[in-house]
Short mmCIF file of all heavy atoms in Angstrom, two decimals:
data_model
loop_
_atom_site.label_atom_id
_atom_site.label_comp_id
_atom_site.label_asym_id
_atom_site.label_seq_id
_atom_site.Cartn_x
_atom_site.Cartn_y
_atom_site.Cartn_z
N MET H 255 12.56 -9.64 -9.89
CA MET H 255 12.26 -10.28 -8.51
C MET H 255 10.86 -10.87 -8.61
O MET H 255 9.98 -10.31 -9.18
CB MET H 255 12.30 -9.15 -7.49
CG MET H 255 12.40 -9.75 -6.08
SD MET H 255 12.60 -8.41 -4.87
CE MET H 255 14.32 -7.91 -5.21
N LEU H 256 10.58 -12.03 -7.96
CA LEU H 256 9.36 -12.66 -8.07
C LEU H 256 8.46 -12.24 -6.97
O LEU H 256 8.95 -12.04 -5.81
CB LEU H 256 9.62 -14.17 -7.99
CG LEU H 256 10.31 -14.83 -9.16
CD1 LEU H 256 10.57 -16.33 -8.90
CD2 LEU H 256 9.41 -14.74 -10.43
N PRO H 257 7.16 -12.17 -7.20
CA PRO H 257 6.19 -11.95 -6.10
C PRO H 257 6.19 -13.08 -5.14
O PRO H 257 6.41 -14.24 -5.49
CB PRO H 257 4.82 -11.92 -6.90
CG PRO H 257 5.15 -11.82 -8.31
CD PRO H 257 6.47 -12.41 -8.53
N GLU H 258 5.97 -12.82 -3.87
CA GLU H 258 5.90 -13.80 -2.84
C GLU H 258 4.50 -13.75 -2.23
O GLU H 258 3.89 -12.66 -2.18
CB GLU H 258 6.98 -13.58 -1.79
CG GLU H 258 6.87 -12.29 -1.09
CD GLU H 258 8.02 -12.04 -0.09
OE1 GLU H 258 8.92 -12.76 -0.07
OE2 GLU H 258 7.93 -11.06 0.61
N PRO H 259 4.05 -14.94 -1.79
CA PRO H 259 2.75 -14.86 -1.10
C PRO H 259 2.81 -14.16 0.21
O PRO H 259 3.74 -14.25 0.98
CB PRO H 259 2.31 -16.33 -0.87
CG PRO H 259 3.57 -17.09 -1.09
CD PRO H 259 4.57 -16.24 -1.86
N ALA H 260 1.73 -13.29 0.45
CA ALA H 260 1.78 -12.67 1.75
C ALA H 260 0.32 -12.27 1.99
O ALA H 260 -0.51 -12.04 1.15
CB ALA H 260 2.57 -11.36 1.66
N ASN H 261 -0.10 -12.13 3.28
CA ASN H 261 -1.40 -11.69 3.59
C ASN H 261 -1.45 -10.14 3.39
O ASN H 261 -0.54 -9.49 3.81
CB ASN H 261 -1.72 -12.11 5.02
CG ASN H 261 -2.12 -13.52 5.22
OD1 ASN H 261 -2.32 -14.22 4.17
ND2 ASN H 261 -2.10 -14.07 6.38
N CYS H 262 -2.56 -9.73 2.87
CA CYS H 262 -2.83 -8.31 2.65
C CYS H 262 -2.75 -7.61 4.02
O CYS H 262 -3.47 -8.02 4.92
CB CYS H 262 -4.15 -8.09 1.95
SG CYS H 262 -4.55 -6.40 1.85
N PRO H 263 -1.97 -6.49 4.15
CA PRO H 263 -1.93 -5.84 5.39
C PRO H 263 -3.19 -5.03 5.73
O PRO H 263 -3.41 -4.56 6.93
CB PRO H 263 -0.73 -4.90 5.26
CG PRO H 263 -0.61 -4.68 3.81
CD PRO H 263 -1.03 -5.90 3.14
N LEU H 264 -4.00 -4.85 4.79
CA LEU H 264 -5.24 -4.07 4.92
C LEU H 264 -6.42 -4.96 5.32
O LEU H 264 -7.16 -4.65 6.20
CB LEU H 264 -5.65 -3.29 3.72
CG LEU H 264 -4.51 -2.25 3.22
CD1 LEU H 264 -5.03 -1.58 2.06
CD2 LEU H 264 -4.31 -1.36 4.41
N CYS H 265 -6.60 -6.14 4.68
CA CYS H 265 -7.75 -6.97 4.83
C CYS H 265 -7.48 -8.30 5.28
O CYS H 265 -8.36 -9.06 5.70
CB CYS H 265 -8.64 -6.96 3.60
SG CYS H 265 -7.93 -7.98 2.27
N GLY H 266 -6.22 -8.70 5.20
CA GLY H 266 -5.80 -10.02 5.66
C GLY H 266 -6.01 -11.22 4.66
O GLY H 266 -5.71 -12.39 4.95
N ALA H 267 -6.50 -10.87 3.48
CA ALA H 267 -6.69 -11.92 2.46
C ALA H 267 -5.37 -12.35 1.95
O ALA H 267 -4.30 -11.73 2.10
CB ALA H 267 -7.48 -11.32 1.32
N ALA H 268 -5.36 -13.52 1.38
CA ALA H 268 -4.20 -14.07 0.71
C ALA H 268 -3.86 -13.22 -0.52
O ALA H 268 -4.74 -13.10 -1.33
CB ALA H 268 -4.38 -15.55 0.32
N ALA H 269 -2.71 -12.65 -0.51
CA ALA H 269 -2.29 -11.66 -1.53
C ALA H 269 -0.85 -11.99 -2.01
O ALA H 269 -0.29 -13.00 -1.57
CB ALA H 269 -2.42 -10.26 -1.09
N GLU H 270 -0.37 -11.18 -2.93
CA GLU H 270 1.08 -11.34 -3.32
C GLU H 270 1.71 -10.00 -3.07
O GLU H 270 1.08 -8.89 -3.20
CB GLU H 270 1.10 -11.59 -4.83
CG GLU H 270 0.87 -13.04 -5.19
CD GLU H 270 1.07 -13.22 -6.66
OE1 GLU H 270 1.12 -12.27 -7.41
OE2 GLU H 270 1.31 -14.45 -6.94
N ARG H 271 2.99 -10.03 -2.84
CA ARG H 271 3.73 -8.83 -2.71
C ARG H 271 5.09 -8.97 -3.36
O ARG H 271 5.60 -10.03 -3.50
CB ARG H 271 3.97 -8.37 -1.28
CG ARG H 271 4.90 -9.24 -0.47
CD ARG H 271 5.07 -8.71 0.89
NE ARG H 271 6.18 -9.40 1.63
CZ ARG H 271 6.48 -9.13 2.96
NH1 ARG H 271 5.80 -8.28 3.68
NH2 ARG H 271 7.41 -9.80 3.41
N ILE H 272 5.60 -7.85 -3.77
CA ILE H 272 6.93 -7.81 -4.44
C ILE H 272 7.64 -6.67 -3.81
O ILE H 272 7.14 -5.55 -3.63
CB ILE H 272 6.80 -7.72 -5.96
CG1 ILE H 272 8.23 -7.90 -6.58
CG2 ILE H 272 6.18 -6.37 -6.40
CD1 ILE H 272 8.01 -8.15 -8.08
N ARG H 273 8.94 -6.91 -3.42
CA ARG H 273 9.65 -5.82 -2.85
C ARG H 273 10.05 -4.71 -3.82
O ARG H 273 10.30 -5.03 -4.96
CB ARG H 273 11.02 -6.38 -2.24
CG ARG H 273 11.76 -5.40 -1.40
CD ARG H 273 13.02 -6.07 -0.73
NE ARG H 273 12.69 -6.79 0.39
CZ ARG H 273 12.45 -6.26 1.64
NH1 ARG H 273 12.61 -4.93 1.74
NH2 ARG H 273 12.23 -6.99 2.59
N SER H 274 9.98 -3.54 -3.47
CA SER H 274 10.27 -2.40 -4.33
C SER H 274 11.13 -1.37 -3.61
O SER H 274 10.74 -0.83 -2.65
CB SER H 274 8.94 -1.72 -4.74
OG SER H 274 9.29 -0.55 -5.36
N SER H 275 12.40 -1.22 -4.12
CA SER H 275 13.21 -0.23 -3.50
C SER H 275 12.75 1.22 -3.83
O SER H 275 12.96 2.05 -3.05
CB SER H 275 14.67 -0.42 -4.08
OG SER H 275 14.71 -0.45 -5.51
N GLN H 276 12.10 1.34 -5.05
CA GLN H 276 11.57 2.71 -5.31
C GLN H 276 10.53 3.12 -4.29
O GLN H 276 10.50 4.30 -3.88
CB GLN H 276 10.88 2.67 -6.70
CG GLN H 276 11.89 2.60 -7.80
CD GLN H 276 11.17 2.50 -9.12
OE1 GLN H 276 10.32 1.68 -9.31
NE2 GLN H 276 11.59 3.32 -10.15
N LEU H 277 9.72 2.15 -3.89
CA LEU H 277 8.60 2.52 -2.90
C LEU H 277 9.20 2.49 -1.48
O LEU H 277 8.54 2.80 -0.54
CB LEU H 277 7.46 1.48 -3.04
CG LEU H 277 6.76 1.41 -4.35
CD1 LEU H 277 5.61 0.37 -4.21
CD2 LEU H 277 6.14 2.77 -4.71
N ARG H 278 10.46 2.05 -1.28
CA ARG H 278 11.08 1.84 -0.01
C ARG H 278 10.14 0.95 0.81
O ARG H 278 9.84 1.07 2.02
CB ARG H 278 11.23 3.11 0.75
CG ARG H 278 12.35 3.96 0.13
CD ARG H 278 12.58 5.25 0.82
NE ARG H 278 11.41 6.15 0.56
CZ ARG H 278 11.09 7.14 1.35
NH1 ARG H 278 11.83 7.36 2.52
NH2 ARG H 278 10.11 7.90 1.13
N GLY H 279 9.58 -0.12 0.13
CA GLY H 279 8.72 -1.14 0.77
C GLY H 279 8.27 -2.12 -0.13
O GLY H 279 9.21 -2.79 -0.86
N PHE H 280 6.97 -2.36 -0.26
CA PHE H 280 6.45 -3.44 -1.01
C PHE H 280 5.34 -2.92 -1.89
O PHE H 280 4.64 -1.92 -1.61
CB PHE H 280 5.89 -4.53 -0.24
CG PHE H 280 6.93 -5.25 0.65
CD1 PHE H 280 7.27 -4.78 1.92
CD2 PHE H 280 7.71 -6.23 0.12
CE1 PHE H 280 8.13 -5.43 2.66
CE2 PHE H 280 8.67 -6.89 0.91
CZ PHE H 280 8.93 -6.48 2.20
N ARG H 281 5.03 -3.70 -2.98
CA ARG H 281 3.92 -3.44 -3.80
C ARG H 281 3.01 -4.77 -3.64
O ARG H 281 3.52 -5.79 -3.93
CB ARG H 281 4.29 -3.26 -5.18
CG ARG H 281 2.96 -3.04 -6.10
CD ARG H 281 3.44 -2.79 -7.59
NE ARG H 281 2.27 -2.77 -8.38
CZ ARG H 281 2.13 -2.01 -9.40
NH1 ARG H 281 3.05 -1.18 -9.77
NH2 ARG H 281 0.97 -2.04 -10.10
N TYR H 282 1.78 -4.49 -3.13
CA TYR H 282 0.91 -5.60 -2.88
C TYR H 282 -0.09 -5.70 -4.04
O TYR H 282 -0.50 -4.65 -4.51
CB TYR H 282 0.08 -5.43 -1.55
CG TYR H 282 0.96 -5.91 -0.37
CD1 TYR H 282 1.92 -5.10 0.15
CD2 TYR H 282 0.72 -7.09 0.23
CE1 TYR H 282 2.58 -5.46 1.31
CE2 TYR H 282 1.38 -7.49 1.32
CZ TYR H 282 2.28 -6.72 1.91
OH TYR H 282 2.98 -7.11 3.02
N THR H 283 -0.46 -6.89 -4.27
CA THR H 283 -1.66 -7.15 -5.16
C THR H 283 -2.61 -8.08 -4.38
O THR H 283 -2.29 -9.16 -4.14
CB THR H 283 -1.27 -7.76 -6.52
OG1 THR H 283 -0.22 -6.93 -7.10
CG2 THR H 283 -2.45 -7.92 -7.41
N CYS H 284 -3.76 -7.44 -4.04
CA CYS H 284 -4.71 -8.13 -3.25
C CYS H 284 -6.05 -8.33 -4.03
O CYS H 284 -6.39 -7.40 -4.76
CB CYS H 284 -5.06 -7.30 -1.90
SG CYS H 284 -6.40 -7.94 -1.03
N PRO H 285 -6.62 -9.49 -4.00
CA PRO H 285 -7.87 -9.73 -4.73
C PRO H 285 -8.95 -8.77 -4.25
O PRO H 285 -9.91 -8.51 -5.11
CB PRO H 285 -8.19 -11.18 -4.50
CG PRO H 285 -7.41 -11.54 -3.28
CD PRO H 285 -6.30 -10.65 -3.24
N SER H 286 -8.95 -8.39 -3.07
CA SER H 286 -10.01 -7.52 -2.53
C SER H 286 -9.70 -6.00 -2.65
O SER H 286 -10.47 -5.14 -2.96
CB SER H 286 -10.33 -7.87 -1.14
OG SER H 286 -10.76 -6.86 -0.33
N CYS H 287 -8.42 -5.65 -2.29
CA CYS H 287 -7.99 -4.22 -2.21
C CYS H 287 -7.36 -3.73 -3.52
O CYS H 287 -7.17 -2.52 -3.71
CB CYS H 287 -7.01 -4.03 -1.13
SG CYS H 287 -7.60 -4.60 0.53
N GLY H 288 -7.00 -4.61 -4.37
CA GLY H 288 -6.31 -4.20 -5.60
C GLY H 288 -4.79 -4.05 -5.41
O GLY H 288 -4.19 -4.58 -4.41
N SER H 289 -4.12 -3.34 -6.27
CA SER H 289 -2.76 -3.00 -6.15
C SER H 289 -2.50 -1.76 -5.44
O SER H 289 -3.11 -0.77 -5.63
CB SER H 289 -2.14 -2.91 -7.54
OG SER H 289 -2.15 -4.19 -8.25
N PHE H 290 -1.51 -1.85 -4.53
CA PHE H 290 -1.04 -0.63 -3.81
C PHE H 290 0.31 -0.80 -3.31
O PHE H 290 0.83 -1.87 -3.22
CB PHE H 290 -2.03 -0.30 -2.61
CG PHE H 290 -2.10 -1.46 -1.64
CD1 PHE H 290 -1.27 -1.47 -0.56
CD2 PHE H 290 -3.01 -2.47 -1.81
CE1 PHE H 290 -1.29 -2.47 0.39
CE2 PHE H 290 -3.01 -3.55 -0.84
CZ PHE H 290 -2.20 -3.55 0.27
N GLY H 291 1.02 0.39 -3.03
CA GLY H 291 2.35 0.27 -2.49
C GLY H 291 2.27 0.60 -1.08
O GLY H 291 1.37 1.33 -0.61
N ILE H 292 3.25 0.15 -0.32
CA ILE H 292 3.27 0.51 1.10
C ILE H 292 4.73 0.56 1.53
O ILE H 292 5.50 -0.32 1.14
CB ILE H 292 2.48 -0.48 1.94
CG1 ILE H 292 2.49 -0.04 3.45
CG2 ILE H 292 3.00 -1.91 1.77
CD1 ILE H 292 1.40 -0.82 4.25
N GLU H 293 5.05 1.66 2.22
CA GLU H 293 6.47 1.74 2.71
C GLU H 293 6.62 0.79 3.90
O GLU H 293 5.74 0.54 4.70
CB GLU H 293 6.71 3.12 3.22
CG GLU H 293 6.79 4.04 2.01
CD GLU H 293 7.19 5.49 2.52
OE1 GLU H 293 7.14 5.78 3.71
OE2 GLU H 293 7.67 6.35 1.64
N SER H 294 7.89 0.26 4.04
CA SER H 294 8.21 -0.60 5.17
C SER H 294 7.83 -0.02 6.58
O SER H 294 7.32 -0.62 7.40
CB SER H 294 9.60 -0.96 5.13
OG SER H 294 9.94 -1.73 4.07
N ALA H 295 8.05 1.32 6.62
CA ALA H 295 7.77 2.05 7.86
C ALA H 295 6.29 2.04 8.20
O ALA H 295 5.93 2.08 9.39
CB ALA H 295 8.33 3.42 7.82
N ALA H 296 5.45 2.03 7.19
CA ALA H 296 4.00 2.04 7.48
C ALA H 296 3.50 0.66 7.67
O ALA H 296 2.44 0.46 8.24
CB ALA H 296 3.25 2.65 6.26
N LEU H 297 4.20 -0.36 7.21
CA LEU H 297 3.79 -1.80 7.32
C LEU H 297 3.80 -2.24 8.74
O LEU H 297 2.96 -3.00 9.21
CB LEU H 297 4.64 -2.63 6.47
CG LEU H 297 4.17 -4.05 6.09
CD1 LEU H 297 2.79 -4.05 5.54
CD2 LEU H 297 5.11 -4.64 5.12
N ALA H 298 4.75 -1.79 9.46
CA ALA H 298 4.99 -2.28 10.84
C ALA H 298 3.84 -1.76 11.75
O ALA H 298 3.64 -0.53 11.91
CB ALA H 298 6.36 -1.82 11.40
N GLY H 299 2.99 -2.62 12.29
CA GLY H 299 1.98 -2.18 13.12
C GLY H 299 0.82 -1.42 12.47
O GLY H 299 0.13 -0.74 13.14
N LEU H 300 0.65 -1.67 11.18
CA LEU H 300 -0.36 -1.04 10.45
C LEU H 300 -1.73 -1.46 11.00
O LEU H 300 -2.05 -2.66 11.05
CB LEU H 300 -0.25 -1.26 8.94
CG LEU H 300 -1.42 -0.70 8.09
CD1 LEU H 300 -1.35 0.82 8.00
CD2 LEU H 300 -1.26 -1.23 6.67
N ILE H 301 -2.60 -0.47 11.26
CA ILE H 301 -4.04 -0.79 11.56
C ILE H 301 -4.77 -0.01 10.51
O ILE H 301 -4.84 1.19 10.50
CB ILE H 301 -4.44 -0.37 12.97
CG1 ILE H 301 -3.59 -1.16 14.04
CG2 ILE H 301 -5.91 -0.57 13.19
CD1 ILE H 301 -3.73 -0.53 15.38
N ALA H 302 -5.31 -0.71 9.48
CA ALA H 302 -5.99 -0.12 8.43
C ALA H 302 -7.43 0.21 8.77
O ALA H 302 -8.23 -0.69 9.24
CB ALA H 302 -6.01 -0.98 7.21
N SER H 303 -7.75 1.46 8.71
CA SER H 303 -9.17 1.87 8.98
C SER H 303 -9.98 1.74 7.72
O SER H 303 -9.46 1.65 6.61
CB SER H 303 -9.15 3.31 9.52
OG SER H 303 -8.67 4.24 8.50
N ALA H 304 -11.25 1.92 7.89
CA ALA H 304 -12.18 1.97 6.65
C ALA H 304 -11.82 3.11 5.75
O ALA H 304 -11.79 3.01 4.53
CB ALA H 304 -13.58 2.01 7.08
N SER H 305 -11.33 4.25 6.37
CA SER H 305 -11.02 5.37 5.55
C SER H 305 -9.82 5.12 4.66
O SER H 305 -9.67 5.68 3.56
CB SER H 305 -10.88 6.64 6.35
OG SER H 305 -9.73 6.57 7.22
N THR H 306 -8.85 4.32 5.24
CA THR H 306 -7.66 3.99 4.38
C THR H 306 -8.12 3.30 3.12
O THR H 306 -7.59 3.63 2.08
CB THR H 306 -6.81 3.06 5.22
OG1 THR H 306 -6.29 3.70 6.50
CG2 THR H 306 -5.55 2.75 4.50
N ARG H 307 -8.94 2.30 3.31
CA ARG H 307 -9.44 1.57 2.09
C ARG H 307 -10.21 2.47 1.17
O ARG H 307 -10.11 2.31 -0.06
CB ARG H 307 -10.20 0.27 2.53
CG ARG H 307 -9.27 -0.60 3.32
CD ARG H 307 -9.95 -1.92 3.55
NE ARG H 307 -10.25 -2.69 2.39
CZ ARG H 307 -10.97 -3.82 2.35
NH1 ARG H 307 -11.42 -4.38 3.51
NH2 ARG H 307 -11.17 -4.50 1.23
N GLN H 308 -10.95 3.39 1.73
CA GLN H 308 -11.68 4.27 0.85
C GLN H 308 -10.75 5.22 0.10
O GLN H 308 -10.91 5.53 -1.10
CB GLN H 308 -12.62 5.19 1.72
CG GLN H 308 -13.93 4.44 2.12
CD GLN H 308 -14.64 5.17 3.26
OE1 GLN H 308 -14.29 6.28 3.66
NE2 GLN H 308 -15.70 4.51 3.79
N ASP H 309 -9.69 5.62 0.77
CA ASP H 309 -8.69 6.50 0.05
C ASP H 309 -8.07 5.65 -1.06
O ASP H 309 -7.79 6.17 -2.12
CB ASP H 309 -7.56 6.89 1.03
CG ASP H 309 -8.03 7.98 2.02
OD1 ASP H 309 -9.08 8.60 1.66
OD2 ASP H 309 -7.31 8.21 3.00
N LEU H 310 -7.81 4.40 -0.83
CA LEU H 310 -7.23 3.51 -1.84
C LEU H 310 -8.14 3.50 -3.00
O LEU H 310 -7.64 3.66 -4.20
CB LEU H 310 -6.96 2.15 -1.42
CG LEU H 310 -5.84 1.77 -0.36
CD1 LEU H 310 -5.64 0.27 -0.21
CD2 LEU H 310 -4.63 2.51 -0.75
N ALA H 311 -9.44 3.28 -2.84
CA ALA H 311 -10.36 3.15 -3.93
C ALA H 311 -10.48 4.50 -4.68
O ALA H 311 -10.56 4.47 -5.89
CB ALA H 311 -11.70 2.70 -3.40
N ARG H 312 -10.43 5.53 -3.94
CA ARG H 312 -10.59 6.90 -4.62
C ARG H 312 -9.39 7.19 -5.51
O ARG H 312 -9.51 7.57 -6.67
CB ARG H 312 -10.61 7.95 -3.51
CG ARG H 312 -10.97 9.34 -3.98
CD ARG H 312 -11.31 10.25 -2.93
NE ARG H 312 -10.45 10.12 -1.74
CZ ARG H 312 -9.19 10.70 -1.69
NH1 ARG H 312 -8.74 11.44 -2.68
NH2 ARG H 312 -8.41 10.51 -0.58
N LEU H 313 -8.15 6.91 -5.03
CA LEU H 313 -6.95 7.14 -5.80
C LEU H 313 -6.94 6.20 -7.06
O LEU H 313 -6.58 6.68 -8.11
CB LEU H 313 -5.75 6.86 -4.96
CG LEU H 313 -5.34 7.91 -4.00
CD1 LEU H 313 -4.37 7.44 -2.90
CD2 LEU H 313 -4.77 9.14 -4.67
N ARG H 314 -7.38 5.00 -6.87
CA ARG H 314 -7.40 4.12 -7.99
C ARG H 314 -8.38 4.51 -9.06
O ARG H 314 -8.12 4.46 -10.28
CB ARG H 314 -7.65 2.67 -7.61
CG ARG H 314 -7.34 1.68 -8.71
CD ARG H 314 -7.33 0.21 -8.23
NE ARG H 314 -6.47 -0.06 -7.12
CZ ARG H 314 -6.82 -0.16 -5.97
NH1 ARG H 314 -8.08 -0.11 -5.56
NH2 ARG H 314 -5.98 -0.41 -4.96
N ALA H 315 -9.48 5.06 -8.59
CA ALA H 315 -10.47 5.69 -9.52
C ALA H 315 -9.95 6.75 -10.40
O ALA H 315 -10.36 7.00 -11.52
CB ALA H 315 -11.78 6.09 -8.68
N PHE H 316 -8.94 7.51 -9.88
CA PHE H 316 -8.32 8.51 -10.64
C PHE H 316 -7.08 8.08 -11.35
O PHE H 316 -6.31 8.81 -11.90
CB PHE H 316 -7.91 9.70 -9.67
CG PHE H 316 -9.05 10.56 -9.28
CD1 PHE H 316 -9.66 10.40 -8.14
CD2 PHE H 316 -9.62 11.50 -10.20
CE1 PHE H 316 -10.75 11.19 -7.76
CE2 PHE H 316 -10.65 12.27 -9.83
CZ PHE H 316 -11.28 12.23 -8.57
N GLY H 317 -6.83 6.76 -11.32
CA GLY H 317 -5.73 6.19 -12.17
C GLY H 317 -4.44 6.12 -11.51
O GLY H 317 -3.34 5.97 -12.11
N HIS H 318 -4.31 6.39 -10.22
CA HIS H 318 -3.11 6.35 -9.48
C HIS H 318 -2.87 5.06 -8.87
O HIS H 318 -3.84 4.26 -8.55
CB HIS H 318 -3.13 7.40 -8.25
CG HIS H 318 -3.17 8.80 -8.78
ND1 HIS H 318 -2.19 9.42 -9.47
CD2 HIS H 318 -4.21 9.71 -8.60
CE1 HIS H 318 -2.63 10.68 -9.76
NE2 HIS H 318 -3.81 10.93 -9.26
N LEU H 319 -1.59 4.67 -8.70
CA LEU H 319 -1.23 3.55 -7.75
C LEU H 319 -1.19 4.13 -6.41
O LEU H 319 -0.36 5.07 -6.05
CB LEU H 319 0.08 3.01 -8.15
CG LEU H 319 0.53 1.87 -7.13
CD1 LEU H 319 -0.27 0.55 -7.33
CD2 LEU H 319 2.09 1.56 -7.42
N PRO H 320 -2.05 3.76 -5.41
CA PRO H 320 -2.04 4.24 -4.09
C PRO H 320 -0.78 3.85 -3.37
O PRO H 320 -0.27 2.76 -3.48
CB PRO H 320 -3.29 3.69 -3.37
CG PRO H 320 -4.09 3.09 -4.53
CD PRO H 320 -3.14 2.75 -5.59
N LEU H 321 -0.19 4.78 -2.56
CA LEU H 321 0.97 4.50 -1.77
C LEU H 321 0.62 4.86 -0.28
O LEU H 321 0.23 5.94 0.03
CB LEU H 321 2.15 5.25 -2.30
CG LEU H 321 3.45 5.04 -1.43
CD1 LEU H 321 3.97 3.66 -1.47
CD2 LEU H 321 4.56 5.98 -1.91
N ILE H 322 0.86 3.82 0.57
CA ILE H 322 0.61 4.04 2.00
C ILE H 322 1.90 4.36 2.66
O ILE H 322 2.90 3.63 2.63
CB ILE H 322 -0.11 2.76 2.58
CG1 ILE H 322 -1.38 2.38 1.84
CG2 ILE H 322 -0.31 2.96 4.07
CD1 ILE H 322 -1.89 1.05 2.22
N GLN H 323 1.94 5.50 3.30
CA GLN H 323 3.14 5.95 4.02
C GLN H 323 2.80 6.30 5.46
O GLN H 323 1.57 6.48 5.78
CB GLN H 323 3.64 7.26 3.44
CG GLN H 323 4.06 7.05 1.98
CD GLN H 323 4.35 8.35 1.23
OE1 GLN H 323 3.47 9.09 1.07
NE2 GLN H 323 5.55 8.58 0.94
N ARG H 324 3.81 6.38 6.30
CA ARG H 324 3.60 6.77 7.63
C ARG H 324 4.37 8.11 7.88
O ARG H 324 5.49 8.26 7.61
CB ARG H 324 4.13 5.75 8.68
CG ARG H 324 3.84 6.10 10.04
CD ARG H 324 4.59 5.15 11.08
NE ARG H 324 4.15 3.82 11.02
CZ ARG H 324 3.12 3.26 11.77
NH1 ARG H 324 2.43 4.14 12.45
NH2 ARG H 324 2.80 2.07 11.62
N ASP H 325 3.70 9.10 8.49
CA ASP H 325 4.41 10.27 8.76
C ASP H 325 4.02 10.61 10.27
O ASP H 325 3.44 9.74 10.92
CB ASP H 325 4.05 11.42 7.84
CG ASP H 325 2.67 11.90 7.88
OD1 ASP H 325 1.87 11.48 8.87
OD2 ASP H 325 2.26 12.66 7.01
N LYS H 326 4.36 11.78 10.71
CA LYS H 326 4.17 12.14 12.18
C LYS H 326 2.70 12.08 12.49
O LYS H 326 2.37 11.80 13.69
CB LYS H 326 4.77 13.55 12.50
CG LYS H 326 6.19 13.58 12.29
CD LYS H 326 6.76 14.99 12.91
CE LYS H 326 8.14 15.15 12.61
NZ LYS H 326 8.44 15.41 11.15
N GLN H 327 1.80 12.38 11.60
CA GLN H 327 0.38 12.39 11.92
C GLN H 327 -0.20 10.96 11.88
O GLN H 327 -1.30 10.69 12.41
CB GLN H 327 -0.38 13.18 10.92
CG GLN H 327 -0.37 14.69 11.19
CD GLN H 327 0.90 15.34 10.90
OE1 GLN H 327 1.51 15.06 9.81
NE2 GLN H 327 1.53 16.09 11.83
N GLY H 328 0.55 10.03 11.33
CA GLY H 328 0.03 8.68 11.25
C GLY H 328 0.04 8.13 9.85
O GLY H 328 0.90 8.52 9.07
N ILE H 329 -0.89 7.29 9.53
CA ILE H 329 -0.89 6.69 8.23
C ILE H 329 -1.56 7.67 7.21
O ILE H 329 -2.53 8.30 7.47
CB ILE H 329 -1.71 5.36 8.25
CG1 ILE H 329 -1.05 4.36 9.11
CG2 ILE H 329 -1.98 4.81 6.85
CD1 ILE H 329 0.24 3.93 8.63
N ARG H 330 -0.85 7.72 6.10
CA ARG H 330 -1.28 8.69 5.00
C ARG H 330 -1.32 7.91 3.71
O ARG H 330 -0.44 7.09 3.44
CB ARG H 330 -0.23 9.80 4.97
CG ARG H 330 -0.72 11.02 4.23
CD ARG H 330 0.25 12.17 4.64
NE ARG H 330 1.63 11.91 4.27
CZ ARG H 330 2.13 11.99 3.01
NH1 ARG H 330 1.43 12.42 2.06
NH2 ARG H 330 3.45 11.73 2.76
N VAL H 331 -2.33 8.08 2.91
CA VAL H 331 -2.40 7.44 1.62
C VAL H 331 -2.37 8.50 0.58
O VAL H 331 -3.09 9.56 0.64
CB VAL H 331 -3.74 6.65 1.52
CG1 VAL H 331 -3.83 5.95 0.19
CG2 VAL H 331 -3.92 5.71 2.66
N GLY H 332 -1.44 8.38 -0.39
CA GLY H 332 -1.32 9.38 -1.46
C GLY H 332 -0.96 8.70 -2.72
O GLY H 332 -0.71 7.42 -2.70
N PRO H 333 -0.97 9.30 -3.84
CA PRO H 333 -0.62 8.81 -5.13
C PRO H 333 0.87 8.50 -5.11
O PRO H 333 1.69 9.25 -4.66
CB PRO H 333 -1.03 9.79 -6.17
CG PRO H 333 -1.00 11.17 -5.39
CD PRO H 333 -1.37 10.83 -3.89
N CYS H 334 1.13 7.38 -5.71
CA CYS H 334 2.57 6.91 -5.78
C CYS H 334 3.20 7.70 -7.03
O CYS H 334 2.65 7.85 -8.07
CB CYS H 334 2.60 5.46 -6.08
SG CYS H 334 4.36 4.88 -6.42
N ARG H 335 4.36 8.31 -6.78
CA ARG H 335 4.91 9.11 -7.88
C ARG H 335 6.18 8.51 -8.47
O ARG H 335 7.04 9.27 -9.04
CB ARG H 335 5.23 10.50 -7.28
CG ARG H 335 4.08 11.21 -6.73
CD ARG H 335 4.42 12.58 -6.26
NE ARG H 335 3.42 13.24 -5.49
CZ ARG H 335 2.30 13.70 -5.88
NH1 ARG H 335 2.03 13.70 -7.16
NH2 ARG H 335 1.33 14.16 -5.10
N VAL H 336 6.39 7.27 -8.33
CA VAL H 336 7.50 6.59 -8.99
C VAL H 336 7.13 5.93 -10.25
O VAL H 336 5.92 5.58 -10.37
CB VAL H 336 8.29 5.73 -8.09
CG1 VAL H 336 8.85 6.34 -6.91
CG2 VAL H 336 7.41 4.54 -7.65
ZN1 LIG L 1887 -6.60 -6.69 0.83
#
């Protein structure tokens, strides 16, 4: 499947995304935020806080692909396990 142009849901920059059934959403590659996964459920109405982007940077520093999910508490960022 080919990447498609899309604005980054975190910072709004021109980015690319590719649909991923494993992630149940998309994998984005943003020039500013880097690569991360996001579930479709989290993408709808996402308001990314500064802490969300800090979590992404921290996970990437440890060599993980960050995955953004939504649960009952709200937006959660964790390491992608697929
Ligand atoms: Zn971005």
